[in-house]
Structure formats: structure tokens, C-alpha cells
Amino acid sequence: MTDALLLVDDWGPEKIVVVSHRRTGMKGVLVIDNTARGIGKGGTRMSPHVSVEEIARLARVMTWKWASVDLFYGGAKAGVVADPSSPDKEAILRAFARALSNEVPREYVMGLDMGLTEDDAAIVQDELGDRGAAVGTPEHLGGVAYDRLGVTGYGVAEAADAAADFLGRPLAGARIAIQGFGAVGNAAARRFAELGATVVAVSTAKGALHDPAGLDVPALLAAREEHGDDLVSRHPQGTAIPSGRELTVDCDILVPAALQDVIDEDNAPDIKARLVVEGANLPTSPRAQEILARRGVTVLPDFVANAGGVVAAAFAMDSRYSGFRPGTPAIFETISDRLRANAVTVLEEARRRDSTPHTAGRTLAEERVRTAMRSKGRIPR
């Protein structure tokens, strides 16, 4: 069992709240990492495997992500230990929201992460009787429909385009492999195709598909709509390959957009892509990043590449109590502008410092957070 006190360092967490409810069996945790730049904001996930340490790691990513895109919220994350397919999901979620009523929404605003849907965000609002308690609600309730709009995946492709251009390898004609074809992966594939790239491999929880000549992205999107994760066995194009092999196929750009910790020191030497764009949170280990850097492979960090969701969340946060929906064109324009500029800034800084983009990007984010902490008297001036 993780000793929560061992998770505390110079940045946070500021608060770890573990909650439970005997009747529903609900167990959950909220980690508020650092609020020097604003109240805690981050997704809430539901999984049987949620742990305090996992949520603390993800909350720290949110701290750097908000600072990296220079938006004024703090890092936080929450998790519920439950199966999202359980018939008791709503009761468990309502119990979780009630248990955090002291913190939500004054210190933390719930959002969507793995296992939760737009309707679940609406349930949280309903349970606490406060439109400000959660963002990510359905559009018909005034929310920003992140998954339907595909804001995170769109931002991943935009950041990849800017990074590829910076590295002198234009995205048009580039071969892309995408691990994960959920909300992030499928939206990224759509945008990559629009930008002229060729998607050569995709994967789901049920397997992977590979075609060196390029997969038909519109057909893949239609197959996902009809078959979900089973698209890999229902789609006629491409060759089935074992899950995980999509990470090491011959390609120019690799987008791990599924789970954390999928690229480690064991498979990093086999990565053939010259640019890795982190669509998921924490998909590469620090050791893997070092190995890839030595091999001349550039890794664009998660807190830069997949920050399209937090930009959209900032719009949603701003409109929580408004009678007007935020404008979709403004959301996409801001995501493109911020992520493209930030990708170039981080890669330039990495080149100047002769460091990995993770180190350079985190240093820039740390400087912003440290400045805010110093101004508020949280550290010596």
C-alpha cells in the first residue's frame, strides 16, 4: 500500500482525499496537486484498478499541462475504484460526488476521463445541485462535447504537424501508427488524414491492424462507429498483428494514445518512428525517453501534445454558469494556435538546453508554477 505522505514533494500534492461508501461499495480518491495558478481541474476516471499513486501521478501531469498551455487552473485528478460497466455505476458515482461535496466545486471541478461519459458529468451536476460541479456534460445541457468534437485528438495531430515541420519532416505523406482508436486516437487519425498523412497502423483493446500502404481512415471511422473495438476483426483492410506490435511497425510518427507506461526500456530500442507524439498521459517511462533520445527519436510530451482537452475544458470552465454555449470554432482555433506554438517552444528549448523535450517542457512549466507560488507566498520570495 502506498504511504500518501511519501507522495509529497516541493510541488504537492496539497490535498489527498480518500472516500468510501459502505452501501454502494464506492471507494475513490481525489488528489489536488498544486493550485498556485488556480483551482484544481482535471478528469475523473472510473476503473477497477484505480490507485492513490496513479491518481497522484496524473494530477501532477495536470499541473504541468495547465502551466504548459499557460491557462490559469491547477493540477488535480480523481478516481473511482469501480467497473464502469457495472449496473450500479450511477449509484456509485452519486455516492462519490456526495463524499466530495466539501471540495467540489470550490476546490476541484470534475471532468471526464477513462470510464466516464457526458451523462456521468450531468449526474454529478444533478447530485450536487450545481452546474459548476462538473464539465463535459452533453451539448444539450450546454456542455462542450469533448469526445464528439474530438478536441484532444485534433490537438495531438496539430501538435504533431508543428513538431514535424520544426524537425524538417513535413507531415504530408508521413506514415503514422496510432495505439488506441478511442476518442483520442480516432480524432487524431481523422485530422492526420486531413493534413495529408498516411495512417499505417491502429489498435484497440481487441487487437491491431497494419497496412504499410495506408489504411482507409474514413472506413476505419465507420467501422469503429458500427463495431467499436471489434473493428480490428471486422475491417477487411490491413493485416491483423498482435496488440503492442503497432508500437514498433515501420513508420515516421508514433502516437501512443491509449494507456500509460506502454513504452519502456524493453521496447524503446525497437521503436522505428523518428517522432513520438504522446496522445495518452504518461505513455513513456523516463528510461525509455533517455533511450529514444540517444537514438535520435524526438518525443513530444503528453502535457504538450494532448493538451487540446484542457484548452476545451478551459472554455467549459468559463461557461459553467453561463446561459450561452462556448463557440466551437473558437475552441478549435485556440487549440491549434496554443498547441502548435507550444510544441515549437518546447522543442526549441530542448535543443537550446541539449535536453529531452520532457525535461525542457517541464522546466518551462515549473518556472510558471514556481513564479505563482512565490507571488502567493507559498515559497520564499
Side-chain angles (χ1 to χ4, degrees):
M1 179 180 292
T2 300
D3 183 344
L5 291 175
L6 297 178
L7 299 173
V8 179
D9 59 18
D10 290 343
W11 305 103
E14 296 172 5
K15 179 182 284 192
I16 299 176
V17 183
V18 176
V19 295
S20 65
H21 185 253
R22 186 176 300 277
R23 185 165 183 175
T24 61
M26 180 276 293
K27 294 189 293 184
V29 60
L30 164 65
V31 177
I32 299 176
D33 185 58
N34 188 298
T35 59
R37 289 171 57 90
I39 69 167
K41 176 69 192 79
T44 302
R45 63 174 45 188
M46 181 179 285
S47 163
H49 310 296
V50 163
S51 70
V52 173
E53 185 173 14
E54 172 197 14
I55 299 302
R57 289 178 69 197
L58 293 169
R60 179 59 53 83
V61 171
M62 292 305 302
T63 295
W64 305 142
K65 196 175 294 188
W66 285 118
S68 180
V69 293
D70 201 20
L71 293 170
F72 294 96
Y73 295 104
K77 204 80 173 181
V80 187
V81 184
D83 183 346
S85 65
S86 167
D88 299 321
K89 179 182 183 181
E90 181 178 331
I92 292 169
L93 186 60
R94 287 183 180 275
F96 182 66
R98 288 195 305 273
L100 291 177
S101 59
N102 287 336
E103 288 77 23
V104 178
R106 188 171 63 88
E107 298 177 72
Y108 170 67
V109 176
M110 291 190 182
L112 301 181
D113 201 329
M114 183 174 66
L116 294 189
T117 68
E118 293 174 3
D119 286 343
D120 293 325
I123 290 294
V124 171
Q125 288 186 350
D126 183 66
E127 183 61 33
L128 296 181
D130 191 330
R131 282 186 63 197
V135 296
T137 52
E139 186 179 24
H140 59 261
L141 291 178
V144 176
Y146 307 132
D147 289 353
R148 184 181 61 77
L149 293 174
V151 291
T152 302
Y154 175 87
V156 167
E158 291 289 297
D161 188 20
D165 187 61
F166 176 84
L167 296 170
R169 305 186 185 107
L171 190 69
R175 298 164 300 154
I176 316 289
I178 303 174
Q179 182 188 53
F181 208 61
V184 177
N186 87 84
R190 180 186 295 110
R191 185 58 178 159
F192 277 128
E194 292 171 351
L195 293 170
T198 300
V199 176
V200 298
V202 300
S203 71
T204 74
K206 299 294 183 68
L209 280 176
H210 177 226
D211 187 338
L215 294 162
D216 185 333
V217 171
L220 280 175
L221 295 173
R224 178 183 180 269
E225 188 69 25
E226 183 176 358
H227 303 297
D229 285 349
D230 288 324
L231 73 89
V232 293
S233 60
R234 300 293 189 93
H235 189 62
Q237 186 189 6
T239 301
I241 57 176
S243 293
R245 186 73 61 80
E246 70 278 5
L247 294 170
T248 57
V249 300
D250 190 17
C251 64
D252 301 302
I253 299 174
L254 172 64
V255 181
L259 302 172
Q260 60 201 50
D261 301 321
V262 295
I263 300 177
D264 55 24
E265 60 185 305
D266 294 326
N267 59 11
D270 300 322
I271 300 295
K272 297 178 180 63
R274 307 312 297 167
L275 172 62
V276 177
V277 180
E278 296 188 328
N281 289 326
L282 304 170
T284 61
S285 72
R287 179 69 179 133
Q289 293 160 20
E290 294 172 3
I291 294 171
L292 291 169
R294 285 203 304 270
R295 296 182 55 227
V297 179
T298 300
V299 182
L300 193 65
D302 49 1
F303 53 85
V304 175
N306 69 18
V310 303
V311 174
F315 278 90
M317 288 287 285
D318 200 42
S319 65
R320 281 182 299 156
Y321 296 109
S322 172
F324 298 92
R325 293 186 181 90
T328 300
I331 293 174
F332 280 103
E333 181 180 351
T334 304
I335 289 172
S336 179
D337 289 346
R338 294 229 176 197
L339 268 62
R340 283 177 171 275
N342 205 30
V344 172
T345 296
V346 167
L347 294 178
E348 285 178 339
E349 188 69 7
R351 182 174 291 178
R352 186 181 72 82
R353 293 174 177 266
D354 191 24
S355 68
T356 67
H358 275 82
T359 298
R362 192 163 53 248
T363 299
L364 289 170
E366 286 176 357
E367 288 172 355
R368 289 174 177 168
V369 175
R370 186 180 292 110
T371 298
M373 294 174 70
R374 188 175 293 117
S375 292
K376 291 185 174 181
R378 298 186 180 186
I379 57 176
R381 290 185 171 85

